[in-house]
Amino acid sequence: MSSPPKLSNDCFALPPGVHWTPVDETLASLRERVSVVTGIELVPTLAAGGRVLATDVVARRDSPPYANSAVDGYGFAFTSLRGHEQALPLAEGRAAAGGPFDGVVHAGKALRILTGAMVPEGVDTIVLEEDVIVEGGVLKFAMGLKKGANVRPKGEDVGAGEGALSAGRILQPQDLGLLAAVGVDTVEVHKRLRVAVLSTGDELRQVDEDIAPHQIYDANRPMLLDLIGRWGMEAVDLGHVRDDATMVRQMLTRGAQEADVILTSGGASAGDEDHISAALQASGTLNLWRVAIKPGRPLALAMWEGVPVFGLPGNPVAAFVTALIFARPTLLELSGAGWSEPRATHLPAAFSKSKKPGRREYLRAKMDTNGHAEVFKSEGSGRISGLCWADGLVELGDQGREITEGDPVRYYPFTEFGL
Ligand code: AMP
Ligand code: MG
């Protein structure tokens, strides 16, 4: 199947003269510059959960495929009813799910019929068994029924040939149920987006490696690799590299061979040891987007050998927040699922804060038992434990604001970020 066009080398170029880019503008720019990069493959419906539909799916079969009973009861022709007190002799036999009645129910008669049974010829209305008595082979009931009561018409849910699901949808468990119901046994989905993750820094060691007093364990990589898996993408672990331009370049090249997009953390600003910036600078496609966000420092965006590179900040909290805010919608777009931003709810603040103007702030937050938004006791961007304490983020807009307890604040539960 055909592959989509590659992103152009200058796709992250920003207009000159822009210094601090607001979050919304950054998101709008990213959205404008990226497009789907994944190819398409055919997979069995049974294995398609979490995959991104690549084409619209049309129902192959009506659902339900035949008119059937919604209840356990008795079926008859509506025109057999007379007045208020009904007495219909029962026909021999019954209709059950998977055991159809093979015959006709004649006018004036009723037939035992069970939930899911195909409605036999001659029946258009069904009375619930709890509403009747059967005496001497005669069905008796005293209630007004509408024609068609308790019958699920053929194709009532989805008709054959109708659209069942649209391209771009990330297949949910209930979608697999619908696909099966309408007889779709295979679907065209996007190949999983391969996302390489690289940590940079002379101080880093992997958590299972020996460590010296001046070193720290790489916290970003396990976090980012797991995020990618939860987003239904394929994580490619590039490990960590020292702040060494040659090694950084080698790893980016490996990432470009093995993945569709590379996420790095650390080394993204313009400091001496910031070799991600330096290496990407050499590619001639680097754009440091100075985003007005806290926590977060510049986002480094570039193309390396045809593959987009997303340079996240090194501080773990900043890396996590910028991954949720910027990387997630971008990766979803690249993956074929389409751009998607989280929806906020408004909660009364359980805190007070004097927020300075200039940068949008994301605070580690949690909804308390009264439904108010509490925030973590520290805003330190190395305090990973605050992310574990939190169940979401509070977003404070770009403007300055005096927040007192009870004021409404925007709150995003982590579930809105696919977690
Ligand atoms: P950098 O962006 O490289 O200047 O890093 C900013 C801060 O984040 C420094 O304190 C780094 O030690 C820390 N840092 C960078 N990468 C990681 C990582 N993978 N895990 C934990 N801390 C990191
Ligand atoms: Mg560093």
Side-chain angles (χ1 to χ4, degrees), residues 181-329:
V182 298
V184 174
D185 63 333
T186 55
V187 281
E188 286 189 333
V189 296
H190 285 279
K191 290 188 174 158
R192 284 186 200 279
L193 185 75
R194 296 165 305 165
V195 185
V197 175
L198 176 67
S199 293
T200 69
D202 283 343
E203 72 279 34
L204 298 182
R205 304 294 287 161
Q206 184 163 299
V207 65
D208 55 1
E209 290 172 342
D210 292 337
I211 198 149
H214 61 278
Q215 294 176 321
I216 64 171
Y217 293 121
D218 176 359
N220 291 349
R221 196 158 44 93
M223 190 162 70
L224 295 172
L225 289 168
D226 193 49
L227 272 180
I228 288 156
R230 283 167 194 255
W231 293 338
M233 300 159 192
E234 188 182 316
V236 177
D237 186 0
L238 294 180
H240 63 90
V241 283
R242 302 180 54 101
D243 289 311
D244 172 290
T246 310
M247 281 161 72
V248 167
R249 273 191 240 114
Q250 277 169 4
M251 271 307 169
L252 290 175
T253 294
R254 202 185 118 198
Q257 285 158 0
E258 295 179 10
D260 303 304
V261 52
I262 303 171
L263 284 189
T264 67
S265 70
S269 47
D272 293 351
E273 300 303 328
D274 290 323
H275 290 287
I276 283 286
S277 307
L280 295 173
Q281 194 83 59
S283 77
T285 63
L286 173 71
N287 290 280
L288 276 180
W289 289 12
R290 297 177 19 132
V291 184
I293 183 174
K294 182 183 170 192
R297 283 200 308 183
L299 275 185
L301 294 157
M303 297 298 293
W304 188 267
E305 296 172 11
V307 166
V309 182
F310 221 96
L312 302 174
N315 275 308
V317 176
F320 188 75
V321 169
T322 52
L324 300 189
I325 302 294
F326 299 116
R328 178 171 174 269

